[in-house]
Amino acid sequence: MVTAAPASADTVVTDYQDPLTALPPVSRPPTEHCTVTAMQHVFANSYGQPFVGTLTPPPACAGPWAKVVLNWTAKSQGRQYDRLAGLWIGGAEVLRTSTPEPDPTGITWSFDRDITEFAPLLRQAQPFVVDLGNTVNDTYTGSYDVTVTVTYYRADRAHPAPKQADTVLPLAADGTKPGWQDLSDGQNYTASVTVPANTAKLTAEIYARGGGCEEFWWSNVPTSLAQANPSAGLCGGGTYREVEVTVDGQPAGVVSPYSVIYTGGVAPMLWRPITAIDSIVTLPYTIDLSPFLGQLTDGKPHTVQLIPPKGIVDLWTLGGNLFATADPHVTRVTGSLLRDDVPAADVRTTVTGSGLDDKIVTHVNRSWRTAGVLHTSAGAVPVSSSGQWTFDNTTTLADSASKQNTDQHVLGSYGSTGRVDGFDFALTADVTQNIVNDNNYRIDATVHQGRRLWTVGGGAPALSDDSIDTSGGFGRTNGVLTYADGTSSEKWSGLADTGRFYFRDIDTAHGYVTRDVSSH
């Protein structure tokens, strides 16, 4: 674990190198390809003003495609908050990301996203929408200049088009507008979808992020404790979060979101230049909805709802898509839902201590399962979907809540017919804050983030192990920056998208890389 510098050695780092992560690169096949610039746009005062354009596949690289790769390259200069951004093609959310915070001399960052699974939408011209709400004024001067390209790699005998879903069904109602929704407690994202009659497999891909007080949900205290101490600035709602999916009002599954930290979160220098796990390249969560197909293939519109975590005290931004795989040998797939066991979560929280010196322990042992049978060209086919995990969070407040330590671990898996997707999420945060007002404060913090993911069955195996250790702080005196420094390291190991082993290990200090080793 990296340790913070002592107060006597305060350093003010005002510039840092371009943001980076240890994630493996997206591979690109050696086939004929064409690149289209989908967007070149500056997001300045852009709340409520998304970019809206059109993405048209290049005639010279008509499908089928071995791969389609989206590249996001952006630059910013000055001072600015971290901002949330989303990208939609034909109403389907294909990317969610957040921005690094710039420095006075400017930063540039770039990443790729494999969007081949959206090929059914990409075969014809589609609305192309990017939403990145930003504010520029005398204090927050940084605009975000973003270029997005899409490269289409034609399939050939050695590099065939991959097997994938036949139809993409966006949950967004209007493909010419941003498809996400900001939801408070008790609100739902309600979508109407018509599923093709011969669908034999249906999966939901869900994006979920908390904002405001819900940005740091993993450190929130019980609402009663926050309300009893209003001057402490604590956020309520407790520490457990889950997002539910329903089909025609029936519970269909639940996902456990990763504890994403924005690039200005806790203390900005923690994430300069290595950005927090899932902050730049955000991964969606997948639930298999196939057990419900018997009621969905009647040609009528049906309702799919995304439900934010219960008891939240601020907004969650939800969105997503459905992917339908057809049975080409039948006109309609029929079936029956045989099991729908998605109970409410049993969240157990104990609080010991008094005032603002407390130990808060939360434990959840979660499981759910749906199952059914489908009648396809292969006969009666059993299908199932499930999730199970344990959630443990211990949060300690000390010195009238000026010190907070959080230790969280989530271990579990999602299952669908013939496939298991495992996950292991770890987070430890030790934070000391001395906040007088917006112009006089100091924050020291040490954070560990971990995310292990693995897939068994359902195609090629997948494995990744990503961990970050970072330490540092940030402070102002009479509005002047008097403390800004950090050290960090990130290690990523696992299987790249080529199926080959990949490893990268990065160390940084004072905003610059001091060591960068990789093998593949």
Side-chain angles (χ1 to χ4, degrees):
M1 184 74 74
V2 182
T3 57
S8 59
D10 281 358
T11 301
V12 179
V13 175
T14 56
D15 292 305
Y16 70 102
Q17 76 171 68
D18 290 343
L20 79 164
T21 74
L23 296 176
V26 175
S27 65
R28 296 173 179 253
T31 67
E32 182 182 354
H33 57 276
C34 305
T35 299
V36 172
T37 298
M39 182 188 77
Q40 287 181 312
H41 188 71
V42 176
F43 294 90
N45 288 299
S46 53
Y47 276 101
Q49 299 182 47
F51 171 86
V52 180
T54 301
L55 178 66
T56 302
C61 289
W65 301 297
K67 202 165 198 175
V68 184
V69 180
L70 182 147
N71 173 266
W72 173 289
T73 298
K75 56 186 178 181
S76 184
Q77 180 178 354
R79 182 180 174 189
Q80 192 53 263
Y81 284 120
D82 41 28
R83 305 294 189 181
L84 186 64
L87 187 156
W88 296 263
I89 299 174
E93 185 166 353
V94 303
L95 172 69
R96 185 170 294 195
T97 185
S98 50
T99 61
E101 295 189 344
D103 61 24
T105 59
I107 56 170
T108 299
W109 73 99
S110 181
F111 63 90
D112 289 340
R113 184 83 169 130
D114 182 353
I115 62 168
T116 313
E117 66 177 346
F118 296 94
L121 280 179
L122 302 176
R123 297 184 186 118
Q124 58 190 8
Q126 297 283 2
F128 183 93
V129 178
V130 177
D131 196 12
L132 195 169
N134 191 29
T135 298
V136 172
N137 53 35
D138 291 342
T139 302
Y140 297 100
T141 58
S143 58
Y144 288 102
D145 186 349
V146 184
T147 299
V148 176
T149 64
V150 179
T151 303
Y152 304 77
Y153 293 86
R154 296 190 67 180
D156 59 22
R157 186 168 298 178
H159 305 88
K163 292 182 179 180
Q164 58 190 26
D166 299 286
T167 306
V168 181
L169 300 170
L171 295 184
D174 186 343
T176 64
K177 298 178 180 178
W180 54 19
Q181 294 181 24
D182 294 328
L183 303 169
S184 59
D185 190 28
Q187 293 182 316
N188 301 329
Y189 185 126
T190 303
S192 178
V193 296
T194 302
V195 176
N198 62 343
T199 299
K201 183 177 178 63
L202 185 69
T203 59
E205 204 171 69
I206 303 154
Y207 285 93
R209 280 261 200 128
C213 253
E214 289 295 314
E215 184 180 332
F216 304 102
W217 55 266
W218 44 270
S219 66
N220 288 11
V221 301
T223 298
S224 57
L225 181 59
Q227 291 176 343
N229 300 276
S231 62
L234 298 170
C235 292
T239 58
Y240 181 71
R241 300 292 183 272
E242 65 179 33
V243 176
E244 184 178 357
V245 180
T246 68
V247 173
D248 290 337
Q250 296 174 278
V254 180
V255 297
S256 175
Y258 185 74
S259 48
V260 186
I261 301 177
Y262 283 69
T263 57
V266 183
M269 285 304 297
L270 296 178
W271 318 112
R272 299 183 179 182
I274 294 175
T275 56
I277 293 173
D278 211 59
S279 62
I280 304 298
V281 181
T282 296
L283 300 183
Y285 309 96
T286 300
I287 289 181
D288 192 338
L289 302 181
S290 299
F292 294 84
L293 278 172
Q295 68 194 58
L296 295 176
T297 57
D298 59 1
K300 299 176 182 179
H302 292 266
T303 299
V304 174
Q305 284 189 323
L306 308 181
I307 302 175
K310 292 179 173 59
I312 55 177
V313 293
D314 217 321
L315 302 177
W316 272 70
T317 305
L318 304 185
N321 318 291
L322 304 183
F323 294 83
T325 302
D327 180 345
H329 304 296
V330 296
T331 303
R332 181 185 175 189
V333 171
T334 59
S336 302
L337 177 66
L338 302 178
R339 180 177 180 180
D340 187 9
D341 184 13
V342 187
D346 181 13
V347 182
R348 302 188 179 189
T349 300
T350 59
V351 181
T352 56
S354 60
L356 288 172
D357 292 86
D358 301 278
K359 182 178 181 181
I360 306 152
V361 178
T362 301
H363 173 76
V364 181
N365 190 10
R366 190 71 164 113
S367 65
W368 59 268
R369 182 177 177 84
T370 66
V373 62
L374 302 180
H375 302 287
T376 73
S377 61
V381 177
V383 289
S384 63
S385 180
S386 64
Q388 49 275 320
W389 55 85
T390 55
F391 172 96
D392 288 286
N393 180 297
T394 299
T395 293
T396 304
L397 304 178
D399 291 351
S400 298
S402 65
K403 293 183 178 180
Q404 182 167 356
N405 177 272
T406 295
D407 187 359
Q408 179 172 292
H409 187 211
V410 191
L411 175 63
S413 64
Y414 303 107
S416 62
T417 309
R419 176 185 173 118
V420 174
D421 292 297
F423 59 94
D424 186 345
F425 299 158
L427 173 67
T428 304
D430 197 349
V431 185
T432 300
Q433 300 184 88
N434 181 10
I435 299 176
V436 179
N437 53 44
D438 288 346
N439 290 317
N440 293 275
Y441 61 87
R442 178 189 174 98
I443 302 170
D444 290 276
T446 299
V447 175
H448 167 77
Q449 278 189 311
R451 181 174 67 184
R452 292 183 65 242
L453 302 171
W454 61 93
T455 298
V456 179
L463 173 66
S464 68
D465 188 348
D466 196 358
S467 66
I468 291 178
D469 289 286
T470 181
S471 185
F474 199 77
R476 294 183 184 275
T477 303
N478 297 325
V480 178
L481 188 64
T482 51
Y483 174 40
D485 198 14
T487 57
S488 63
S489 65
E490 182 179 14
K491 296 180 177 66
W492 195 101
S493 63
L495 300 177
D497 64 2
T498 58
R500 299 181 62 180
F501 180 78
Y502 180 89
F503 170 84
R504 190 173 181 185
D505 188 353
I506 308 171
D507 293 335
T508 79
H510 316 301
Y512 286 83
V513 171
T514 58
R515 177 175 171 271
D516 190 347
V517 178
S518 64
S519 67
H520 50 87

